[in-house]
Each structure stands twice: as structure tokens, then as C-alpha cells.
Amino acid sequence: MTHAIGHGFAPALTTFVGRAGAVDQVAGLLEEFRLVTVTGPGGVGKTRLAAEVARKVAGRFADGVWLVELAAVEEPAQVPAAVAAALGVREQPGVPVTELLAEVLTRQQVLLVADNCEHVARAVAALCGALLPAADDVRVLATSRDVLGVAGETRHRLPPLALPAGDDPDEIARSEAVVLFADRARRVDPRFTLGGGPGLAARLVARLDGMPLAIELAAARVEALGLGQLLDRLDDRFTLLTSSARTAPARQRSLAATVDWSYQLLSDEEKQTFRRLAIFSGPFSLDAAETVAGAAAGPAVLKLVDCSLVTPPRTGPDGRGRYLMLETLRAFGLERLTEAGERPGAEALLAQHMLGLAERAAAGMAASATEVQSATWLDAEDATMHQALVWALEHDPAAALRMAVALAPWWMLRGRRFGQGYAWLRTATGRVPPGDPVWCAGQVLLGETTQDLREALDHFTAVRDAIGQQGASSVLVDALLGRSVYLLNMGRVTEGQQEAYDVLAMARELGYPAGEMVALTALGVAARYLGDIEQALTWHRQASQIDPAQVPGRRARECTVPWVQTLMTAGQVDAARRSCADGLARARAAGDLTNLVVCLSVAADLDLRAGHMSQTGQDLAEAIELALRNGYRFNLTGCLDICGHLCAASGRWVEALTLWAALAVFMDRGSIADVPEDLRRRQQARQTAAATLTGDRISAAEERGAAMTLETAAEYALVLTTTPHQEAAQAPPELGRLSGREQELITLVARGSTDAQIAAQLYISVSTVRSHLDRIRDKTSCRRRADLTRLALHTGLV
């Protein structure tokens, strides 16, 4: 049965010719091996085959099939970040991306399709070597010109398309290579038929060694030249290039001949455009092409599309059409670009273009009305923007810092390469003199993009110390506001309050609405922490009166939850519910996942206070799933706290105490100050629990929670939010079908052990562990390790 293809795959625009057997073979290998690499020379069709295999096996993977396109990744060190971006995993400052991926994937059952690995093969091999032992339900299908060299890897050599075996016209017409040639020729010339020329077609595809890309390039010329002349010219060109590349494999010589032949048919202006367009590592717009290749490049781009040297434009997420050069063609073009001495100039023009685009998009994101549109624009330019930033960091640090500053709000909104974004900002700011306006903006953003409270405070303080005596400015306001907010988070309420007072006057003096809104919100938070609810309401009301159209959407959304929490404390539940619903809607519309998680947790609290237990569970489950999926560790704290109150409200005191114990350990390790109101609320609940439970049960519950990792506690909260109270007290029927050894295996899985670690602990082989887990899955319907973890938590095995 064929299933819909997974995440990141573009819809096929042409028919898939032949290779049904190869699809079945690779699909079969994926059942037996966890890493399958499809190998073959460039242009043999590895990418297309992988997409067809992905369609075929999609139903096997509970968490989907995900494409990781590596062609645009130029630096091996960026491979983990590319995988994280493809999976939508938010990077965290200070946490290695590979480690973060292992944490996320260990709970999932996915197939990763890593396409075009050859230029970063060692990095891909290292990543697979780290992920596969840690995430036992992950499998990888890679495409590369050679194997990756990872233990346990198996190879499928993809041969060229089948060539005609004889002279029979019917047999020739049915051969895979000729079928592909005829199909693509008809796309160029609808009147094309093999007619009396099947023998010529057979000779042509044979000279092309059955290589799909070579066949498609040749078919693009059939209308202009006809089969006979096409074959004659191709033969001449092959002879020339074969003699000049004796050491290259035959198929690579044939493919190179085909590409070079197509290139030589271009005019001088078209050749220049082709090689300059090769500088783009990802999709590019016509405007970008004209910037890099010249203002008159437009007609040449269209000609290159006709020649199949550039793909036709596809509409991106922002609604703009973009072209793309296939990787094999791009490699050829880059060689010609280097030979012509044009590469440095083309790279500089590309960086200049992307800097301008980044700053225009940043200006759009600063306005609420155009935030979503601008962020989507950057989504579509992701690969090329990354390429330009990497180049600028090496060749033009000032431009790199400007670009990083412009992109940082988008990174924070989307969570794409978030940790790498912090590293880029830090590197670039280190190469610009302190006190420079862009340096100051970079320091403020560094403070906002780290989750280390003390480190963030240092960044904001550096700006204050550098320009604090120069008078009021928006960047100084942002730095002082950052200090205020982080001082409040660290429990230094009086200091944070005074900082907010000072900066409020400065923001008003400047006429800086965003600064004024955040300062008022910080004062409201400080007043609530100090117990002055009326004053807190006054501050928040003043903040709410500022026109949101004059404030970046991200800033306005960040002010929503503190306002809602103050309304809740004041007992104005209806107003709190309306504000929270508005905040949820705005976060969803903008794709602002961080604020969405926070809004969902507050919405759950509102539902709980209103007695809507079922809705509380739904909101919490969505928030926890999002936080786990994207690595928002700090955002889990509110979710665990509210889930504890949900349990308390239904009399599940043991579960509530377990969650709060896990929460306390994490907050202590992270040096996060507890909100006084939240602390009092938990203390009151604990007093009730103490009157209900024996001391032994309280101690056991708290010991269990203190032993949990934050992720295990979050999985536990998911069990509690999605399981009715009466069911939680009973072992599910499937547990009774498991042996003692199988229950032991589930317990070890829930504690985060890999198959190899389980095997070592139980003195059995890894294959035996996997056989046991397969039987457990059959008995319990738990397909993923996360499901097994939840079963163990649900039944008290951990």
C-alpha cells in the first residue's frame, strides 16, 4: 500500500519511470537495517528513488518521514543544525545540537531521509553514529555517491536505468531509459514520437549510460535538433571530454559530457548567467538572480529553464516563485565560475543582496501588520540566507553582524538554528568595536537568545556600561529592560522594579512605544510579586492602552501572559479569559511557538479554576507536546505546576506531589526564582495533601518526582492529562500480558536507557533486546519509546 509522502518533500512534477524493483528492495532493507545508503554517481536518480521509497514506507513510522536536504549545507559542522531545522526542533544555547536531537528523537519513531550527503559525509556519519544508538526507533535512508562508513550501515547501489537489450522496436520502446527519454521529450515537444527512430533513441540512451539526468538534459534539446543531430553532437562532445578525463569513472565522464555539452550550447551571456547562478545554494528569485548575474539576466534565466539547466519556478511559502539549480549542475557551474575568476565577486553580491533582504524583512517583522508576511519571506530564503551569513562572517564581519541582528527576531520566532544564531551573534559582535550601535543591538539580542539568566544579565549590562552615559536611545532602553526582566526572573524584585521605573521615563522621552509597553509590563509583574495587585493592574492597563500596531508583534505577545496572570490574581477571570484567548489566537497566527506554549499553560490554569477539567487537560497536553517537541525546557515549568494543581483538584495528591518535586529540582538547578503567588498556592495544596496522605506516601511521591528527569516528568504529566482518574488507578489490561522481564525492559526504556545500555545491564545481546521490544509492541500497541515510557509511568513501573 502506498501512503502519502512525509514532511519536507515537494510533490513530484514528473512521472517516476521504472525502478519499481529498486523501490521494493530499498523498502525491504529498511525493515532489516537502521541505516540504508543509496549510492551511485551524480544524476543517477538517488533523490527521486528515495522520495518514492519514502512514499511506500510512510505508514510504518508513527511520527512520520522527514526529508533532510543537505545539498545547501556547505559546512559539515552545520549538518546537525540542518537536521534540527528540518525536524522543527528548536536549538538551545549551550546545548549541543546532536545531544538535543538525541533527546527529542529517543521518544519518536521516524524515518530520516538524508539527501545529498556526499560533500558532508563524515559529518552525517558522525551524526548517525550518535543518534542511532540513542534513538532506537529512528531509521535513516541516505543518498550519497559513496557509503557513509557507519557501523551497521547497508548499501543499495542504484544502477542506471535499464537499456534496450536488443533491436526489437517494441522492446526498445519499453526499456526504462527510452521510456524516460520519450516522456521528457514530449514535455518539451508534445508532438514528439519515437516513430521510425527507436534505434536512434536506443543508441542515444546507451551513450548516456542510462543516466536519468543526462537523458533529461538531452531530451530538452530534441525539439531544436531532432534525434539524429542530437546523437551526432553528443557523440562528438563525449569523445572530447572522455579523452580529457581518463581517471574519472565512465558514468561520471558521460554525465560531465552531457552537462558541458548543454553549457557549450549557450551564448556567452547565458553561460555567464548560468555560472553565476550556481552560487545560490538554495531556491532563488528572479530579483536575486538579476542582482548576482546582472540586470539583464532575466531572459537568460528563462532560457536556462528551457534547457533544463535551471528548474522552473515553484511557489514558496511566501507566495513568491523561485528557481533552483540541481546540485550536479550547480557543482559544474561553480567550477566554471571559479575558472572565470568570478566567484569572489558573485559571493559578495549575494551577501549584499541577502543583507538587504534581511533588513527589509526585519523592518517588516517590527510592524505587527506585516510580521507574518515578513517571517514567511525569510522562511523561503532560509538556505541562501544561511549561506550568505556564513560567507560574511569570514569576509565582512560588520555585514555579518548587521545580518545576524536583522535575522535574530526571526530566529526567536521560528526557533531555527537558535543555538547557532547565538553563536553567530557572539562571533560577529566580537569583531566589532564595543559601543558601536550594531554591537549594542547584537548584545541585546544575545541577552534575549540565551537561557542562562546570569549570562543574559551580563550582555544587557555590557550595553549599559558602554553607552549609558551617551543619553537615551532605543537600544539602551532595550538593554535596561532586559536587565529589569531578568532581575525579576532571578527573584531580585526590588532591583528589577527600580530598573523598570528608570527605563519607563526614558522610553517616554524617546517616544518609543515598544519600550514603554515592556517597561509598564515589568512594573506590573514587580507589583504583583510584591503583593500590590491594584498597582499591578494600573501598570498593565497603561500597557494595554498603547497601540499594538506601533509595537512589534513579538513584544506585544510577550506582554499578554503577565497581564492575564495579574487579572487572574485580581479575580477578574472573565477579562483574563478574553485576553488569554486573544493571545492564543495571535501566537497561532504568527507561528510564535514559545508564546503559544506559555499561553496554553495559562489557558489551562484558567480552565482549571473554572472547573473545566477536561479542557485543562487538553490545553496542557498541547503545551507539553509542543515544549517537548521543540526543547522548550523552561516553558515546561508552568505546565508541570498546573498539572500538579489539576491532579490536586481531582484528589490525586500523590501525583501532584510527584510533579511538584520534579519541578522543584529543575528550578533549583536552573537558579529560577519561584513566583511568590505560585509558591503560596503550592504550599496550601501540600498542606491539604499532608492532611490526606500518610508520611510514607508523601515521601515516596516526592522521592519519585525528584528522581525524574524533566522530560520524564513531562511525559508523566502527559499521562496524567490524557488519562481519566479512574483509569489511572488501574493497570491497563495489556500489562498483565507482559512477563516480568518484559516489564523490566519497559522500565529501563522509560528511564532513558538505549538498547545497548539495556543489553549491557541485563547481560543479553542488543538483538535480543530488540526482539523483546518488538514482542512488547505487539502485545501493548506501544509503537514508540515515548509510548513505552508513558505505559511505565501510567502503571507505576517508574
Side-chain angles (χ1 to χ4, degrees):
M1 178 179 180
T2 299
H3 293 78
I5 200 164
H7 306 273
F9 291 84
L13 299 180
T14 56
T15 54
F16 182 67
V17 175
R19 290 182 167 163
V23 171
D24 291 338
Q25 290 170 23
V26 175
L29 290 174
L30 282 170
E31 290 185 355
E32 184 178 359
F33 299 94
R34 297 187 60 212
L35 171 58
V36 178
T37 303
V38 178
T39 64
V44 78
K46 301 183 292 293
T47 297
R48 186 62 185 272
L49 178 80
E52 294 300 321
V53 172
R55 288 187 176 88
K56 184 177 182 66
V57 304
R60 298 185 199 168
F61 298 89
D63 292 299
V65 178
W66 297 78
L67 175 65
V68 182
E69 175 52 68
L70 297 173
V73 178
E74 296 190 340
E75 298 293 332
Q78 296 305 314
V79 167
V83 176
L87 292 172
V89 174
R90 175 188 281 258
E91 296 179 37
Q92 301 296 326
V95 180
V97 182
T98 299
E99 179 181 322
L100 183 61
L101 286 169
E103 290 179 3
V104 171
L105 291 175
T106 192
R107 300 177 297 102
Q108 298 189 14
Q109 185 181 59
V110 301
L111 172 65
L112 299 181
V113 180
D115 194 29
N116 291 305
C117 298
E118 48 270 359
H119 61 302
V120 288
R122 290 186 180 180
V124 177
L127 183 62
C128 290
L131 290 184
L132 292 177
D136 290 299
D137 283 343
V138 171
R139 298 195 175 224
V140 177
L141 174 60
T143 71
S144 179
R145 297 182 187 180
D146 201 353
V147 292
L148 301 179
V150 179
E153 175 186 20
T154 191
R155 164 192 276 184
H156 177 86
R157 294 180 184 272
L158 183 62
L161 292 171
L163 298 170
D167 298 327
D168 181 77
D170 291 335
E171 290 295 328
I172 291 174
R174 287 194 294 268
S175 70
E176 291 181 346
V178 173
V179 169
L180 177 65
F181 176 78
D183 178 83
R184 301 307 192 255
R186 279 192 290 271
R187 292 179 180 274
V188 177
D189 179 8
R191 298 167 298 177
F192 174 82
T193 63
L194 289 175
L200 292 177
R203 287 176 56 196
L204 184 138
V205 297
R207 294 298 296 150
L208 296 176
D209 288 332
M211 296 291 287
L213 177 58
I215 291 171
E216 295 198 17
L217 289 170
R221 292 292 179 178
V222 73
E223 181 181 28
L225 298 174
L227 264 176
Q229 191 175 0
L230 180 63
L231 184 58
D232 291 340
R233 292 188 177 222
L234 196 60
D235 282 344
D236 291 340
R237 187 59 59 183
F238 279 178
T239 300
L240 175 64
L241 292 184
T242 298
S243 62
S244 65
R246 295 180 186 276
T247 60
R251 291 193 184 98
Q252 291 183 5
R253 293 202 302 268
S254 297
L255 181 59
T258 305
V259 178
D260 187 70
W261 167 74
S262 296
Y263 177 72
Q264 295 300 336
L265 289 176
L266 301 174
S267 68
D268 289 344
E269 183 177 346
E270 291 163 353
K271 287 178 182 177
Q272 183 183 70
T273 300
F274 171 76
R275 59 181 181 258
R276 290 187 178 180
L277 293 183
I279 204 66
F280 289 98
S281 61
F284 56 88
S285 66
L286 192 57
D287 287 345
E290 290 174 341
T291 299
V292 173
V301 172
L302 302 181
K303 178 63 178 296
L304 294 173
V305 171
D306 290 340
C307 297
S308 297
L309 292 172
V310 171
T311 65
R314 290 187 179 179
T315 302
D318 59 343
R320 294 176 172 88
R322 286 178 178 81
Y323 302 88
L324 182 69
M325 187 177 290
L326 297 177
E327 185 59 25
T328 303
L329 298 173
R330 179 172 177 256
F332 178 89
L334 284 174
E335 290 181 1
R336 306 289 84 74
L337 188 70
T338 303
E339 290 172 359
E342 298 170 347
R343 184 161 184 168
E347 288 175 326
L349 287 170
L350 175 63
Q352 180 183 356
H353 174 78
M354 299 312 291
L355 172 59
L357 189 155
E359 292 185 331
R360 291 195 300 274
M365 287 192 66
S368 296
T370 54
E371 179 191 26
V372 174
Q373 177 185 356
S374 299
T376 307
W377 186 15
L378 289 173
D379 292 343
E381 299 285 354
D382 191 8
T384 309
M385 192 66 73
H386 173 203
Q387 173 192 359
L389 181 55
V390 170
W391 181 90
L393 279 170
E394 182 177 353
H395 298 90
D396 190 348
L401 181 54
R402 286 175 58 194
M403 192 180 300
V405 166
L407 294 174
W410 173 59
W411 291 336
M412 286 186 278
L413 186 72
R414 293 291 192 251
R416 297 182 178 182
R417 291 191 295 277
F418 194 72
Q420 186 63 58
Y422 177 84
W424 281 336
L425 276 166
R426 189 156 197 164
T427 298
T429 53
R431 298 176 182 176
V432 175
D436 181 276
V438 183
W439 177 89
C440 292
Q443 289 291 338
V444 169
L445 290 165
L446 282 169
E448 294 185 15
T449 55
T450 179
Q451 295 192 63
D452 185 309
L453 301 183
R454 293 181 180 85
E455 189 175 72
L457 198 60
D458 288 343
H459 288 302
F460 296 131
T461 303
V463 177
R464 182 200 65 182
D465 293 346
I467 63 172
Q469 303 304 315
Q470 297 178 11
S473 65
S474 60
V475 71
L476 179 59
V477 168
D478 290 340
L480 296 176
L481 284 173
R483 279 181 49 82
S484 173
V485 170
Y486 278 80
L487 287 168
L488 292 173
N489 288 336
M490 296 169 71
R492 296 161 62 176
V493 178
T494 303
E495 293 177 74
Q497 184 184 51
Q498 186 58 54
E499 199 93 39
Y501 273 126
D502 295 340
V503 79
L504 175 62
M506 188 182 297
R508 285 174 169 168
E509 174 190 343
L510 289 171
Y512 183 27
E516 184 179 358
M517 177 182 283
V518 177
L520 289 166
T521 299
L523 286 168
V525 171
R528 180 164 64 90
Y529 286 1
L530 295 171
D532 190 346
I533 305 305
E534 286 303 318
Q535 184 59 59
L537 287 170
T538 298
W539 291 124
H540 283 300
R541 286 194 185 100
Q542 290 184 39
S544 68
Q545 291 169 1
I546 296 174
D547 183 2
Q550 297 180 350
V551 177
R554 178 172 61 91
R555 294 294 190 203
R557 289 189 296 273
E558 289 170 351
C559 295
T560 298
V561 165
W563 171 224
V564 173
Q565 290 170 328
T566 299
L567 289 171
M568 290 169 62
T569 304
Q572 299 182 25
V573 178
D574 290 340
R577 189 176 295 279
R578 287 193 299 271
S579 294
C580 187
D582 179 63
L584 274 171
R586 288 186 286 120
R588 290 190 193 279
D592 187 347
L593 298 183
T594 303
N595 277 299
L596 179 58
V597 170
V598 178
C599 283
L600 281 167
S601 65
V602 174
D605 199 8
L606 282 165
D607 292 328
L608 178 61
R609 293 171 190 251
H612 303 151
M613 311 284 277
S614 176
Q615 187 60 48
T616 299
Q618 291 178 33
D619 290 338
L620 275 178
E622 183 181 358
I624 294 170
E625 288 279 14
L626 281 171
L628 282 172
R629 171 74 182 166
N630 294 282
Y632 303 159
R633 292 172 62 82
F634 286 169
N635 296 122
L636 285 171
T637 57
C639 297
L640 294 182
D641 188 26
I642 296 164
C643 189
H645 289 293
L646 174 62
C647 292
S650 57
R652 292 183 280 181
W653 293 107
V654 169
E655 291 87 343
L657 292 176
T658 299
L659 287 170
W660 287 332
L663 173 63
V665 170
F666 177 71
M667 293 184 70
D668 181 61
R669 290 174 179 169
S671 300
I672 306 170
D674 212 338
V675 177
E677 177 189 351
D678 294 343
L679 181 59
R680 287 191 296 270
R681 188 180 176 193
R682 281 198 300 277
Q683 288 173 339
Q684 291 172 358
R686 285 196 182 97
Q687 291 174 1
T688 305
T692 305
L693 302 175
T694 65
D696 289 345
R697 294 189 70 191
I698 292 173
S699 296
E702 292 182 339
E703 288 174 5
R704 184 187 185 194
M708 289 181 178
T709 65
L710 181 66
E711 288 74 20
T712 301
E715 295 284 4
Y716 183 52
L718 277 176
V719 171
L720 297 172
T721 58
T722 56
T723 306
H725 179 30
Q726 61 272 20
E727 292 182 15
Q730 304 172 359
E734 59 262 30
L735 190 63
R737 297 195 293 269
L738 299 178
S739 67
R741 173 50 65 91
E742 288 170 338
Q743 292 186 35
E744 184 180 14
L745 280 168
I746 292 177
T747 302
L748 292 173
V749 168
R751 288 174 178 166
S753 298
T754 66
D755 288 355
Q757 291 169 337
I758 294 171
Q761 185 169 342
L762 301 181
Y763 301 102
I764 58 179
S765 68
V766 173
S767 61
T768 300
V769 172
R770 290 173 179 165
S771 296
H772 281 312
L773 290 177
D774 285 341
R775 285 197 294 273
I776 291 170
R777 290 182 174 108
D778 291 339
K779 292 180 180 180
T780 64
S781 301
C782 294
R783 299 182 62 188
R784 299 167 294 187
R785 297 179 86 80
D787 297 331
L788 294 173
T789 299
R790 293 173 192 176
L791 176 62
L793 288 164
H794 181 72
T795 57
L797 293 176
V798 294

